[in-house]
Amino acid sequence: FIGLLGGAVPARPCSCLEVGSGSASVDAADAIFLADVVSLKLLEERCSSCKEDEFTLRVKATLRVWEAWKGVEDDFVTVTTGMGGGDCGYAPKLAIGERFVFFVDKDEKGGLEVSICSFTTPESEASELLRNIGPAKKHFQHRPREGY
């Protein structure tokens, strides 16, 4: 649907470096945590390296954190990501109510950003990954999930 919006361009081309071993990615990530997707919001941002009338589309996800290995102090966090299709965005994989193990980096403004270049994985597919990274350092309490 991006083509229908006109003027939207990828923020920057995607070029993932080859992902290292599980322990290397744990060391490289700025934050690692298990969280549910609570909300998704479409963002329209000016493209600093594009023509004046061009913009980029990104997604801001609000996440309910259950466990954290590093980089997270609060039980709710927000991350941003691209739309996919050339910008390394993870947005096409995110769904409200789904739980993921997030491996995120800080963006140039200090916010958290997730991409397809990370080890971010749906919890349902992460049993080996969770075994490899070991026990979480923090646990957060929430009321039971309703409506998912």
Side-chain angles (χ1 to χ4, degrees):
F1 72 94
I2 292 173
L4 297 175
L5 298 173
V9 296
R12 57 189 178 274
C14 182
S15 60
C16 297
L17 298 175
E18 206 164 309
V19 179
S21 70
S23 62
S25 291
V26 168
D27 293 340
D30 291 321
I32 302 171
F33 52 92
L34 177 69
D36 298 334
V37 178
V38 176
S39 69
L40 298 169
K41 180 180 179 183
L42 188 63
L43 304 174
E44 182 179 291
E45 299 176 343
R46 288 272 176 221
C47 180
S48 61
S49 62
C50 303
K51 297 176 189 170
E52 187 176 318
D53 61 343
E54 292 180 326
F55 56 90
T56 60
L57 295 176
R58 298 187 47 78
V59 169
K60 176 180 169 182
T62 301
L63 309 172
R64 176 187 298 121
V65 180
W66 292 95
E67 298 179 356
W69 285 260
K70 68 187 244 184
V72 172
E73 299 299 323
D74 298 320
D75 58 345
F76 283 86
V77 297
T78 59
V79 299
T80 57
T81 189
M83 297 295 292
D87 66 0
C88 296
Y90 204 83
K93 299 179 181 193
L94 296 176
I96 293 173
E98 294 295 317
R99 188 173 289 182
F100 293 83
V101 178
F102 285 90
F103 284 69
V104 300
D105 295 315
K106 289 187 178 175
D107 63 21
E108 56 275 352
K109 297 176 185 173
L112 298 176
E113 182 172 51
V114 62
S115 78
I116 61 171
C117 302
S118 73
F119 269 115
T120 296
T121 306
E123 182 190 35
S124 61
E125 301 170 17
S127 58
E128 184 177 342
L129 178 63
L130 290 167
R131 242 188 334 275
N132 287 338
I133 62 176
K137 307 277 190 267
K138 282 188 172 224
H139 299 272
F140 298 96
Q141 298 297 316
H142 299 280
R143 285 189 252 146
R145 297 189 302 172
E146 295 178 19
Y148 296 76

